[in-house]
Amino acid sequence: KAGVTQTPRYLIKTRGQQVTLSCSPISGHRSVSWYQQTPGQGLQFLFEYFSETQRNKGNFPGRFSGRQFSNSRSEMNVSTLELGDSALYLCASSLASDSPLHFGNGTRLTVT
Amino acid sequence: AQSVTQLGSHVSVSEGALVLLRCNYSSSVPPYLFWYVQYPNQGLQLLLKYTSAATLVKGINGFEAEFKKSETSFHLTKPSAHMSDAAEYFCAVTQSGAGSYQLTFGKGTKLSVIP
């Protein structure tokens, strides 16, 4: 069974631009979560989607948004990029509530 | 609110020695607890999970962890370290029965294995 797939693996953007990251969950998984990983703040929860509905959202500004499609694939968007948005963005999927998260290899975003 | 504290951002052990990575949690409700491992340029891989069944949990690659409610701890151990265990390890907590998966992670412990 294929794992969680995130594209692209690497991105370089300039301040003020926007970016869209993509995540394909494990087949059959309906929950998709996003996390931001930085050296300073560690791993922080962004949001979680289940059946196209956002169920939970972390403490991030409105520039960070996401969505989930009917096939469970998910995208997250960051608008008006700032230098501090440079991070590894990890997507994880799970079969159901209380099932373990399976993580992708992440998208490394660099903002210059 | 819930939180996780991992004692020691860096731990070094000799190959063949005991690995002990410490994790203490804070949760107002019965927690689910996890240990994940991250290798360079990769995502997180689940090592083991505690979900209120047996307090001693066995995971992959010879790792295990013991849930101690009285100490609010969930330390990760492995009897004999291998070079391939060098990685960063994260302890995480979530609320049981929350209906939504939101993990709170510790800051991580980087494990070095000395040959």
Side-chain angles (χ1 to χ4, degrees):
Chain A
K1 202 179 227 186
V4 177
T5 303
Q6 291 188 247
T7 55
R9 285 298 309 275
Y10 302 93
L11 265 177
I12 301 175
K13 293 286 188 179
T14 57
R15 277 179 298 176
Q17 286 186 314
Q18 75 163 16
V19 67
T20 299
L21 313 182
S22 181
C23 172
S24 293
I26 292 172
S27 178
H29 286 195
R30 295 168 64 189
S31 170
V32 174
S33 303
W34 290 88
Y35 289 80
Q36 181 196 63
Q37 185 178 24
T38 60
Q41 299 299 317
L43 283 151
Q44 293 185 286
F45 172 78
L46 280 157
F47 27 66
E48 188 232 353
Y49 288 87
F50 185 86
S51 294
E52 302 179 66
T53 300
Q54 187 181 87
R55 291 202 296 192
N56 213 345
K57 190 177 193 304
N59 189 24
F60 278 83
R63 299 186 297 106
F64 291 81
S65 63
R67 59 178 177 169
Q68 187 181 32
F69 302 96
S70 58
N71 61 359
S72 293
R73 192 176 69 84
S74 177
E75 290 180 347
M76 68 163 281
N77 184 276
V78 188
S79 62
T80 321
L81 284 165
E82 301 176 359
L83 294 178
D85 297 333
S86 295
L88 181 66
Y89 290 88
L90 292 165
C91 171
S93 72
S94 66
L95 187 61
S97 298
D98 296 351
S99 299
L101 294 182
H102 297 265
F103 284 83
N105 284 332
T107 294
R108 185 164 296 282
L109 172 65
T110 302
V111 183
T112 62
Chain B
Q2 53 199 15
S3 65
V4 173
T5 302
Q6 291 185 240
L7 294 175
S9 58
H10 286 87
V11 170
S12 291
V13 299
S14 298
E15 192 174 15
L18 171 72
V19 175
L20 171 60
L21 304 182
R22 299 178 187 275
C23 171
N24 288 90
Y25 70 91
S26 169
S27 177
S28 57
V29 297
Y32 286 173
L33 292 158
F34 306 84
W35 276 100
Y36 283 87
V37 60
Q38 186 177 35
Y39 298 99
N41 297 318
Q42 292 188 24
L44 280 72
Q45 180 183 4
L46 179 67
L47 280 176
L48 50 81
K49 61 177 179 176
Y50 166 77
T51 56
S52 76
T55 56
L56 183 62
V57 182
K58 293 187 184 298
I60 62 171
N61 302 339
F63 285 95
E64 64 181 36
E66 185 173 8
F67 172 71
K68 291 187 177 180
K69 185 178 178 181
S70 60
E71 299 177 8
T72 61
S73 69
F74 190 57
H75 301 332
L76 181 71
T77 61
K78 181 174 180 177
S80 176
H82 294 167
M83 296 298 295
S84 59
D85 295 328
E88 191 158 18
Y89 292 79
F90 293 91
C91 182
V93 64
T94 191
Q95 293 182 4
S96 60
S100 172
Y101 236 89
Q102 176 179 343
L103 291 180
T104 300
F105 285 90
K107 294 291 189 184
T109 298
K110 195 163 288 186
L111 175 67
S112 299
V113 181
I114 304 164

